[in-house]
Amino acid sequence: GAVVSQHPSWVICKSGTSVKIECRSLDFQATTMFWYRQFPKQSLMLMATSNEGSKATYEQGVEKDKFLINHASLTLSTLTVTSAHPEDSSFYICSASKQAGTEAFFGQGTRLTVV
Amino acid sequence: DAKTTQPTSMDCAEGRAANLPCNHSTISGNEYVYWYRQIHSQGPQYIIHGLKNNETNEMASLIITEDRKSSTLILPHATLRDTAVYYCIRSGGGADGLTFGKGTHLIIQP
């Protein structure tokens, strides 16, 4: 398999602050990474596609100015939740594939709690 | 729209084979069937995938019907650690994210 790592595993922040979540592919390079969000007792929902060296592509209904994505290298994508509010509290998960169209490997997820 | 249908939950006795069905009657010719599982509060884990032929790896077997309208994931000797939500997903093999349905909550009973 392949290893995708997220940091931090959990974070608590105050309302109005920003939080950055990192997603790294540890043993392969990924030109594309994906960010998902999962609310309690619900399934994963794709938020955006992170493309190395270019702008991210956001799913309908996801605010690009609130969820900033940067994919500056072939092994790192970051998701910044800006001006976080309690309704942004969720489980954020990233994934990457060794090659486009092959199986995806997921990070362990980041539990964000906004108080 | 997940485009696959799975039972909401299933029970299986420890040590027995767990057979998880999935219906994907509108699957396209170029779409693969992928299976992932998610243990509580963790990221999903890849299990297996296939196009037409049955597949087997160290984790599971995947049986795809000849018309490709349904498939079954088989965990040959279920353990308590196999308790998880199992997702059956269609994917065209492009550089797109995955569409997750609600999956099947498999509970392995001691």
Side-chain angles (χ1 to χ4, degrees):
Chain A
V3 181
V4 174
S5 179
Q6 277 182 248
H7 179 81
S9 297
W10 60 270
V11 58
I12 301 173
C13 72
K14 290 185 178 180
S15 186
T17 62
S18 296
V19 174
K20 180 186 285 188
I21 302 169
E22 294 185 346
C23 177
R24 295 181 185 272
S25 54
L26 297 187
D27 52 359
F28 66 100
Q29 294 182 331
T31 56
T32 302
M33 291 183 175
F34 300 94
W35 287 96
Y36 298 81
R37 180 169 53 182
Q38 185 175 33
F39 292 107
K41 297 187 178 181
Q42 295 187 23
S43 191
L44 283 77
M45 292 293 294
L46 179 66
M47 296 177 66
T49 301
S50 173
N51 303 299
E52 187 268 336
S54 64
K55 291 182 178 180
T57 304
Y58 291 83
E59 296 298 301
Q60 190 173 10
V62 178
E63 301 175 55
K64 63 179 182 180
D65 294 330
K66 180 170 185 62
F67 299 99
L68 302 180
I69 291 173
N70 184 281
H71 195 151
S73 78
L74 288 172
T75 60
L76 174 63
S77 175
T78 61
L79 169 68
T80 301
V81 183
T82 63
S83 186
H85 288 96
E87 57 264 31
D88 298 322
S89 297
S90 189
F91 193 50
Y92 292 86
I93 308 165
C94 70
S95 77
S97 300
K98 289 183 177 179
Q99 290 182 331
T102 62
E103 63 268 31
F105 297 96
F106 289 82
Q108 71 269 39
T110 297
R111 175 78 56 193
L112 170 63
T113 302
V114 185
V115 297
Chain B
D1 182 9
K3 302 179 183 178
T4 63
T5 304
Q6 299 178 251
T8 302
S9 65
M10 292 181 64
D11 287 353
C12 178
E14 187 178 18
R16 304 296 294 269
N19 297 279
L20 291 86
C22 178
N23 182 287
H24 33 78
S25 58
T26 60
I27 195 168
S28 301
N30 65 339
E31 287 184 306
Y32 288 77
V33 178
Y34 281 82
W35 284 83
Y36 293 84
R37 72 180 182 183
Q38 185 178 26
I39 296 170
H40 183 61
S41 294
Q42 296 183 23
Q45 177 189 23
Y46 165 78
I47 301 173
I48 199 168
H49 74 283
L51 183 64
K52 294 181 182 179
N53 300 322
N54 299 335
E55 302 287 345
T56 296
N57 62 21
E58 64 278 4
M59 288 184 69
S61 294
L62 175 60
I63 307 298
I64 303 175
T65 58
E66 193 169 341
D67 61 10
R68 303 213 319 127
K69 292 184 177 182
S70 65
S71 61
T72 301
L73 177 74
I74 302 172
L75 307 179
H77 304 287
T79 71
L80 298 178
R81 287 179 294 183
D82 292 322
T83 292
V85 178
Y86 287 76
Y87 297 100
C88 168
I89 299 173
R90 294 162 45 175
S91 179
D96 297 325
L98 300 177
T99 300
F100 285 80
K102 296 183 178 181
T104 296
H105 186 193
L106 176 66
I107 300 171
I108 306 301
Q109 304 281 2

